[in-house]
Amino acid sequence: MWVAAVRVARGHGRSRARPPQGPLRGKYFLCGIVYVGLVMGGACLVLSFKVLDLSVLSESAYQTIMVQTLVLCECLYLFNVRHITEPAFNQQFFQNRVTFAVLGILVPLQAFAPYVPFMNRSPGTAPPEAGQWIRPLLVALFLFCVVVIVYCITWAVLCKRAGRLGVV
């Protein structure tokens, strides 16, 4: 999935190079990873304790729903991670064909895997019912929306700072 997210950033080569001893990623990048992890983990906990009825679900169905939730969150986050400070929906959204190719392979495999008997044995999963897919999808969409909102706010702040400093 990492290959699908890689692209040369706009303005690449115009900024100063980082110091040789400096970190590869800045504090903003690390904070982004932490907050996305917290939102994803928190949403999964809410799904686990408040939404899913554990008295009705088997343990294997519960495990399947939680794994599918995490995978769907990562799939939708793939669109946001391509731009660290810009919104996901911009002019370059459809330009990275690798992203869509990876998702075109990953999503059917993830959807198909719980229903194949030999793929259920080792991880102890079970095929969820059709209606149970909506909850992981909603959690993933929630994460996507939260990240888009944060990136839009970040982009607005950066544009405002650039305007104040006279930098375009």
Side-chain angles (χ1 to χ4, degrees), residues 5-6 23 31 48 55 65 97 105 116-118 151 156 166:
V6 174
C31 288
S48 177
S55 63
I65 291 171
R97 293 184 192 129
I105 294 168
V116 178
F118 72 88
Y151 282 3

Side-chain angles (χ1 to χ4, degrees), residues 35 80 87 142-155:
Y35 104 82
N80 283 320
F142 170 76
L143 174 71
F144 181 80
C145 291
V146 166
V147 173
V148 166
I149 290 168
V150 170
Y151 282 3
C152 287
I153 292 169
T154 303
W155 183 247

Side-chain angles (χ1 to χ4, degrees), residues 16 23 27 29-30 60 91 96-97 100 110-111 114 127 135 141:
R16 296 181 316 178
K27 292 177 185 174
F29 184 78
L30 294 176
S60 55
Q91 293 84 5
N96 191 340
R97 293 184 192 129
F100 292 99
Q110 280 300 124
R135 291 181 178 118
L141 288 172

Side-chain angles (χ1 to χ4, degrees), residues 107-123:
V107 170
L109 283 176
Q110 280 300 124
F112 183 66
Y115 300 101
V116 178
F118 72 88
M119 296 189 85
N120 290 338
R121 287 187 198 120
S122 68

Side-chain angles (χ1 to χ4, degrees), residues 13-75:
R14 288 188 294 211
S15 62
R16 296 181 316 178
R18 70 173 179 82
Q21 306 305 325
L24 290 176
R25 296 292 181 188
K27 292 177 185 174
Y28 177 80
F29 184 78
L30 294 176
C31 288
I33 291 172
V34 169
Y35 104 82
V36 168
L38 289 174
V39 171
M40 190 185 309
C44 285
L45 285 173
V46 168
L47 178 67
S48 177
F49 292 115
K50 300 290 184 185
V51 178
L52 295 177
D53 188 2
L54 299 178
S55 63
V56 175
L57 284 175
S58 67
E59 183 179 340
S60 55
Y62 169 77
Q63 289 175 349
T64 304
I65 291 171
M66 295 312 292
V67 168
Q68 296 298 339
T69 301
L70 290 172
V71 170
L72 286 172
C73 284
E74 290 172 359
C75 285

